[in-house]
Amino acid sequence: AQSVTQPDIHITVSEGASLELRCNYSYGATPYLFWYVQSPGQGLQLLLKYFSGDTLVQGIKGFEAEFKRSQSSFNLRKPSVHWSDAAEYFCAVAGGSYIPTFGRGTSLIVHP
Amino acid sequence: KAGVTQTPRYLIKTRGQQVTLSCSPISGHRSVSWYQQTPGQGLQFLFEYFSETQRNKGNFPGRFSGRQFSNSRSEMNVSTLELGDSALYLCASSREGRKEDGYTFGSGTRLTVV
């Protein structure tokens, strides 16, 4: 079975500060991993994905994520947060089933 | 190119009624998946359709059903609505429904059951 945990329900950062959102997955082999962002009242938008190769992947909007097999993690990072990054962020894993399982999400609050 | 289109955006229904939601995927995408999103349960998978066939189904009661047409447009139906069905229903499409594809989501239909 596949599962994903996002340990932080809310994260608050100041505009211009760096950001790291945590994601831990459970799956026996290398899974397919995704990060999505959801703005209020909208659907989810794919930020980036990983399934093989370089463990540091670049995505849209200046985001990147690093796959660490030893820690079963796929944390999302951004060096400098903008107020427009305030949203809900979801990590997802697709392992044995190609239907992805989503985490419960992390709400990002950006202070001016 | 046009994104995933879901209609209607908002619905208010009464307990016991039934409702049909519509989803038009991105042109060329053959896989359509439906998710229910609630604050309490997060994103839960309902079902996936590929080439007019239900290929996967989540753990929802039989009151939830769907179908896909030859042009890949999909509908989902919920019969005998319950208060707990109030949620944001999201449709997501992908080209072939493969693991590595990732989804393109619509903006959702906000269903309120009163």
Side-chain angles (χ1 to χ4, degrees):
Chain A
Q2 60 195 36
S3 67
V4 61
T5 302
Q6 294 180 247
D8 304 305
I9 298 174
H10 303 283
I11 290 277
T12 301
V13 299
S14 298
E15 190 169 17
S18 63
L19 170 70
E20 182 168 28
L21 301 181
R22 297 185 291 164
C23 172
N24 294 101
Y25 68 89
S26 176
Y27 181 64
T30 300
Y32 292 69
L33 295 159
F34 308 85
W35 274 100
Y36 288 84
V37 60
Q38 184 179 32
S39 298
Q42 299 298 315
L44 283 71
Q45 180 183 22
L46 180 64
L47 285 174
L48 47 79
K49 57 186 177 181
Y50 171 82
F51 50 92
S52 67
D54 192 346
T55 57
L56 184 63
V57 294
Q58 302 298 320
I60 62 172
K61 301 177 188 262
F63 286 93
E64 65 178 27
E66 186 172 13
F67 170 65
K68 292 185 177 180
R69 184 191 305 276
S70 61
Q71 298 176 21
S72 297
S73 68
F74 188 57
N75 294 349
L76 182 71
R77 301 195 295 246
K78 187 170 185 178
S80 178
V81 169
H82 187 263
W83 63 266
S84 60
D85 292 324
E88 190 91 13
Y89 291 80
F90 293 90
C91 182
V93 59
S97 163
Y98 59 85
I99 299 298
T101 299
F102 287 82
R104 297 301 299 271
T106 297
S107 177
L108 175 64
I109 301 163
V110 181
H111 280 170
Chain B
K1 59 182 176 181
V4 177
T5 303
Q6 291 188 246
T7 57
R9 287 296 309 273
Y10 302 93
L11 267 178
I12 300 175
K13 290 287 189 177
T14 304
R15 270 182 304 174
Q17 287 186 313
Q18 67 101 25
V19 67
T20 299
L21 312 182
S22 179
C23 172
S24 293
I26 288 176
S27 178
H29 283 195
R30 296 197 292 165
S31 170
V32 174
S33 296
W34 288 89
Y35 283 82
Q36 181 195 66
Q37 185 178 27
T38 60
Q41 299 297 319
L43 278 149
Q44 293 189 288
F45 171 72
L46 281 155
F47 26 66
E48 183 226 2
Y49 286 87
F50 183 84
S51 293
E52 301 179 68
T53 300
Q54 187 181 86
R55 196 160 63 169
N56 286 280
K57 188 177 190 305
N59 189 26
F60 277 81
R63 300 185 296 107
F64 292 81
S65 63
R67 59 178 175 169
Q68 186 180 34
F69 303 95
S70 58
N71 61 357
S72 293
R73 191 176 71 85
S74 177
E75 290 180 347
M76 66 163 283
N77 183 277
V78 188
S79 62
T80 320
L81 284 165
E82 301 177 359
L83 295 179
D85 297 333
S86 295
L88 180 66
Y89 289 88
L90 292 166
C91 166
S93 76
S94 69
R95 187 168 296 279
E96 301 290 335
R98 300 171 306 177
K99 285 189 208 183
E100 62 266 36
D101 286 349
Y103 286 147
T104 300
F105 280 84
S107 296
T109 293
R110 171 73 63 186
L111 172 64
T112 302
V113 182
V114 298

